[in-house]
Amino acid sequence: MKQRLMVVEDDQMMRELISLYLKKDGYDVIEAADGEEAKSLFAEVQPCLIILDLMMPKVSGEEFCRWVKARFGDEVAIIMLSAKSKTEDKISGLHMGADDYLTKPFDPEELVAHVEAVLRRTGRFCRKLCYDRLCLKPLKGEVTLNEQPVHLTKHEFILLHHLMKHPNIVFSRDALIEQLYPSSEQIVLDRTVDAHIKKLREKIEINPPKPVRIITVRGMGYKFVAQ
């Protein structure tokens, strides 16, 4: 599956040039002429990385960056493009949540290299996760099995998302508790995780008593088996 990127740039020639180079490198590219258009497209296209020009009409790059980070946090990587080359401008962009900052003018091949580096460094890929007809869309909060919706609770969704992001990796109950209740001051028992796993299996396993997707590793914890 191709990684999906969004190019948000008001200069049409620049936008099309960037898109051309990214497509040649194998990416699925969605274009937006300004922050307002990018907002309207975002939920539908679910990009894993955004190449964002800062100087735009209607909704500025800074405003769009804050909008993305406030809603999706680190789920989406951002590379900022700007003619501003001062160190303080770069620092400001990075503090805003950008993963990288590239100064105009730049070589399109240099931008492609930055995209590859950011995706490699952050571990972000297309956010839709699919294994054996079980699909999870983090930005939409949707799960489907055999193309039919699966209705999960908040904690079931968080648990499944974490396990599917790290297929075939065993997680202890303590590690899963940290994902489910990151800021809780209350003591969360191991059996709470077991209860969530049991409910999750009932919704995604063909035979819940004999699971093949989320399995128990005796003495260690649980793992999601990529099939």
Side-chain angles (χ1 to χ4, degrees):
M1 181 183 293
K2 291 184 179 180
Q3 295 164 293
R4 176 167 289 178
L5 314 182
M6 177 182 281
V7 178
V8 188
E9 165 68 70
D10 63 321
D11 184 313
Q12 182 178 351
M13 289 185 63
M14 174 66 73
R15 187 174 68 248
E16 291 178 350
L17 180 63
I18 292 171
S19 296
L20 176 64
Y21 273 81
L22 291 170
K23 288 176 181 176
K24 282 174 59 179
D25 211 54
Y27 295 104
D28 180 14
V29 183
I30 305 298
E31 298 180 22
D34 54 61
E36 188 172 89
E37 183 181 7
K39 279 185 178 182
S40 67
L41 289 172
F42 194 87
E44 179 182 352
V45 302
Q46 297 189 70
C48 55
L49 181 146
I50 301 169
I51 296 162
L52 177 64
D53 181 37
L54 291 185
M55 306 295 289
M56 294 188 299
K58 297 182 181 179
V59 176
S60 70
E62 289 95 336
E63 185 178 344
F64 180 67
C65 179
R66 293 190 185 97
W67 181 85
V68 171
K69 290 300 178 179
R71 286 160 177 77
F72 307 105
D74 292 334
E75 286 292 321
V76 183
I78 294 177
I79 296 178
M80 285 184 172
L81 307 178
S82 177
K84 298 178 181 180
S85 58
K86 293 182 179 179
T87 300
E88 54 264 35
D89 294 319
K90 296 181 180 179
I91 292 173
S92 176
L94 294 172
H95 281 170
M96 205 178 299
D99 296 88
D100 202 353
Y101 188 106
L102 200 58
T103 302
K104 294 180 178 180
F106 54 83
D107 188 311
E109 292 185 354
E110 179 187 6
L111 174 59
V112 172
H114 277 256
V115 167
E116 292 173 350
V118 168
L119 290 173
R120 185 170 59 249
R121 184 175 70 247
T122 61
R124 294 180 179 90
F125 299 94
C126 277
R127 306 320 299 172
K128 182 178 179 180
L129 302 170
C130 287
Y131 295 99
D132 191 28
R133 301 184 67 80
L134 175 67
C135 294
L136 183 148
K137 298 179 181 179
L139 298 183
K140 287 189 174 183
E142 296 177 354
V143 175
T144 59
L145 178 59
N146 297 321
E147 300 183 357
Q148 299 301 311
V150 178
H151 302 290
L152 303 181
T153 65
K154 173 186 173 181
H155 288 125
E156 290 166 359
F157 185 89
I158 293 171
L159 188 57
L160 181 61
H161 182 206
H162 185 68
L163 291 171
M164 289 182 71
K165 279 199 303 182
H166 307 282
N168 304 315
I169 301 298
V170 181
F171 289 94
S172 68
R173 289 172 175 82
D174 286 343
L176 295 176
I177 286 172
E178 289 180 8
Q179 292 294 322
L180 293 169
Y181 306 96
S183 58
S184 176
E185 296 180 358
Q186 298 179 343
I187 296 175
V188 181
L189 301 177
D190 287 354
R191 62 173 175 265
T192 301
V193 174
D194 296 339
H196 288 312
I197 291 288
K198 182 176 183 293
K199 292 291 186 183
L200 195 50
R201 284 170 170 167
E202 290 172 355
K203 297 178 180 181
I204 66 170
E205 298 282 3
I206 296 176
N207 184 4
K210 295 182 179 180
V212 295
R213 297 180 188 276
I214 299 177
I215 67 170
T216 303
V217 180
R218 188 178 297 277
M220 296 179 66
Y222 297 102
K223 73 175 180 179
F224 180 87
V225 179
Q227 301 181 46

